[in-house]
Amino acid sequence: MKFNRLVIALYLFSIVSCAQSTNNVPKSYIAYKTSEEIKIDGESTENSWNKVKWSDTFIDIEGIKEPTYNTQVKMMWDETYFYILAKLEEPHVWADITEHDAIIFHNNDFEVFIDPDGDTFNYYELEVNALNTVWDLFITKAYREKNEALNDWTLTGLKSAVKVDGTINNPNDKDKGWTLELAIPWEAYKTSYFEKNVPENKHWRVNFSRVNWDFQLENGVYQRKKDAEGKLLHEYNWVWSPQGVINMHEPEKWGYVYFSLKEVGSKDSFTIPQDDAVKAELYSLYKSQKSYFKKYKKWATTIDSLTSKAIIVNHKTLQPTLENHATGYNISVKSPFTNTILIIKENGKIISN
């Protein structure tokens, strides 16, 4: 079935991994509110866009290497939409996928990942190529768990437009790149996150990825490049907030977008909650538990079985406890910053008490 092929492709794309880096601090960005009517045409000529700063330049997904071409984003919002503007430098703009919900990352593309409540469950993915072909899907939980990628979910009300600075699919010249402008309606997300479902003075976990392929020409037509044995060369993955591993589907590593009520052109501040650093340590223990289970076919019963080092966050030593039960385990810890009890379960979900 077509859906199964799509899910398998997405899964394989998400699990290619290398040595994990622990030094990647998530990026953050303040999205200011606009009162100007924004026309989604890829032109970004509105005064509001001119007042909004570009993000940091994208880095490779592991946070190690500088990409070949620059990528940056801008963000802002109003009562109806979350606006995103992406600028992609590319000397050869090409694309050939025109079917909605096809595997867009088989072309060069731009991708948006959004987890509104930051629990790594029930998040959203959007992919767009230079022909403005869209793949939108809803994912129940990260691929490290048994999940569902709902390819039949549609981001109703999405507005998108692409502007190519050059000539698409023409190998006889060099282009400067392409710009993608998006307006994602708040109504597309489930309505239980915040009042009015608009995250005023709240933050969401968000990341952006750019997939780029080396190419070859076959009878003057762009194709993904193959090696001498006819196998496709690996794609490049360039992201806003580095993952530390070649896997976008670890939502706890995504960046932070804070939706300020202040108007574009204003100044505001945002600090990543200290408890999120505590949660990051819980995710590390959760992953150690998965490795322990894979090796011994059972869950560890003590924290010492998972780590031999003291767990220190911002000069505070954590004291996690591990409790096994019939269907799995709970690892809990009291935050030294808020006194909140944070618990991670065997499925990777964190709850607060």
Side-chain angles (χ1 to χ4, degrees):
M1 295 175 61
K2 172 187 171 184
F3 172 70
N4 288 336
R5 291 199 301 270
L6 292 174
V7 171
I8 290 170
L10 182 63
Y11 175 74
L12 292 174
F13 181 67
S14 73
I15 63 173
V16 179
S17 62
C18 296
Q20 186 169 329
S21 169
T22 58
N23 298 320
N24 293 314
V25 177
K27 299 281 187 179
S28 62
Y29 186 97
I30 297 176
Y32 293 94
K33 188 175 182 180
T34 179
S35 56
E36 184 179 11
E37 182 178 354
I38 306 300
K39 182 179 179 181
I40 304 302
D41 54 9
E43 296 284 356
S44 67
T45 54
E46 292 85 358
N47 289 330
S48 292
W49 279 130
N50 293 329
K51 294 178 181 179
V52 175
K53 291 183 178 180
W54 287 106
S55 71
D56 292 339
T57 304
F58 283 26
I59 188 69
D60 87 293
I61 194 169
E62 294 178 279
I64 299 172
K65 296 178 292 186
E66 293 291 333
T68 306
Y69 308 122
N70 288 336
T71 313
Q72 289 177 286
V73 294
K74 290 183 177 184
M75 290 169 266
M76 59 185 181
W77 66 282
D78 62 21
E79 293 292 331
T80 307
Y81 295 105
F82 175 22
Y83 297 104
I84 299 169
L85 182 70
K87 179 174 65 175
L88 299 86
E89 180 186 45
E90 190 171 342
H92 291 275
V93 180
W94 66 275
D96 60 7
I97 298 174
T98 58
E99 181 183 1
H100 179 81
D101 280 349
I103 307 174
I104 300 300
F105 65 75
H106 286 175
N107 282 172
N108 297 339
D109 77 352
F110 186 82
E111 304 177 359
V112 182
F113 297 83
I114 297 177
D115 182 8
D117 57 2
D119 68 351
T120 75
F121 282 62
N122 300 323
Y123 61 89
Y124 306 84
E125 180 175 354
L126 171 67
E127 303 187 7
V128 187
N129 68 6
L131 289 172
N132 198 27
T133 307
V134 170
W135 184 12
D136 45 16
L137 63 161
F138 175 85
I139 300 171
T140 58
K141 50 188 171 181
Y143 281 86
R144 59 198 171 211
E145 299 291 335
K146 293 181 180 179
N147 71 346
E148 290 186 58
L150 303 180
N151 195 58
D152 57 353
W153 176 78
T154 298
L155 210 169
T156 303
L158 171 71
K159 296 182 180 180
S160 64
V162 170
K163 178 70 174 181
V164 176
D165 192 351
T167 51
I168 191 170
N169 291 327
N170 183 357
N172 297 317
D173 63 2
K174 282 195 174 182
D175 311 309
K176 290 186 177 180
W178 53 292
T179 301
L180 170 65
E181 190 175 16
L182 298 168
I184 302 175
W186 302 119
E187 288 185 355
Y189 303 106
K190 71 177 187 179
T191 58
S192 60
Y193 292 119
F194 306 111
E195 184 181 359
K196 298 191 298 182
N197 206 41
V198 178
E200 299 173 347
N201 288 338
K202 304 287 185 180
H203 70 266
W204 282 10
R205 300 302 299 272
V206 176
N207 211 350
F208 304 102
S209 173
R210 175 182 176 179
V211 173
N212 202 266
W213 299 85
D214 287 324
F215 70 88
Q216 62 190 30
L217 294 173
E218 295 184 9
N219 298 320
V221 177
Y222 288 101
Q223 304 284 339
R224 288 181 290 168
K225 192 171 184 177
K226 299 177 181 178
D227 62 18
E229 297 178 352
K231 296 180 180 179
L232 289 171
L233 299 180
H234 279 299
E235 76 285 352
Y236 303 99
N237 298 276
W238 303 327
V239 304
W240 169 51
S241 190
Q243 294 286 107
V245 65
I246 306 177
N247 184 355
M248 285 302 299
H249 293 271
E250 293 191 358
E252 70 274 9
K253 296 178 180 176
W254 295 350
Y256 295 77
V257 176
Y258 178 75
F259 297 93
S260 173
L261 265 172
K262 294 184 178 181
E263 284 284 324
V264 292
S266 302
K267 294 289 184 180
D268 206 346
S269 62
F270 169 73
T271 301
I272 296 174
Q274 288 183 299
D275 274 8
D276 279 24
V278 178
K279 292 177 183 179
E281 296 298 337
L282 286 177
Y283 282 116
S284 293
L285 292 172
Y286 154 79
K287 291 173 183 177
S288 294
Q289 265 284 41
K290 291 185 77 70
S291 297
Y292 188 97
F293 189 90
K294 184 176 181 180
K295 183 176 181 179
Y296 298 106
K297 310 305 178 186
K298 61 180 181 180
W299 299 118
T301 58
T302 66
I303 295 295
D304 289 343
S305 299
L306 302 178
T307 180
S308 60
K309 298 179 180 179
I311 303 175
I312 301 173
V313 174
N314 296 338
H315 309 292
K316 302 287 187 179
T317 301
L318 305 184
Q319 301 291 341
T321 59
L322 171 58
E323 178 187 8
N324 293 66
H325 53 77
T327 59
Y329 64 87
N330 293 338
I331 299 176
S332 60
V333 65
K334 183 177 183 179
S335 166
F337 309 108
T338 63
N339 291 325
T340 302
I341 303 297
L342 301 170
I343 303 170
I344 192 165
K345 302 172 67 65
E346 68 281 345
N347 62 1
K349 190 174 183 67
I350 288 182
I351 58 176
S352 302
N353 288 336

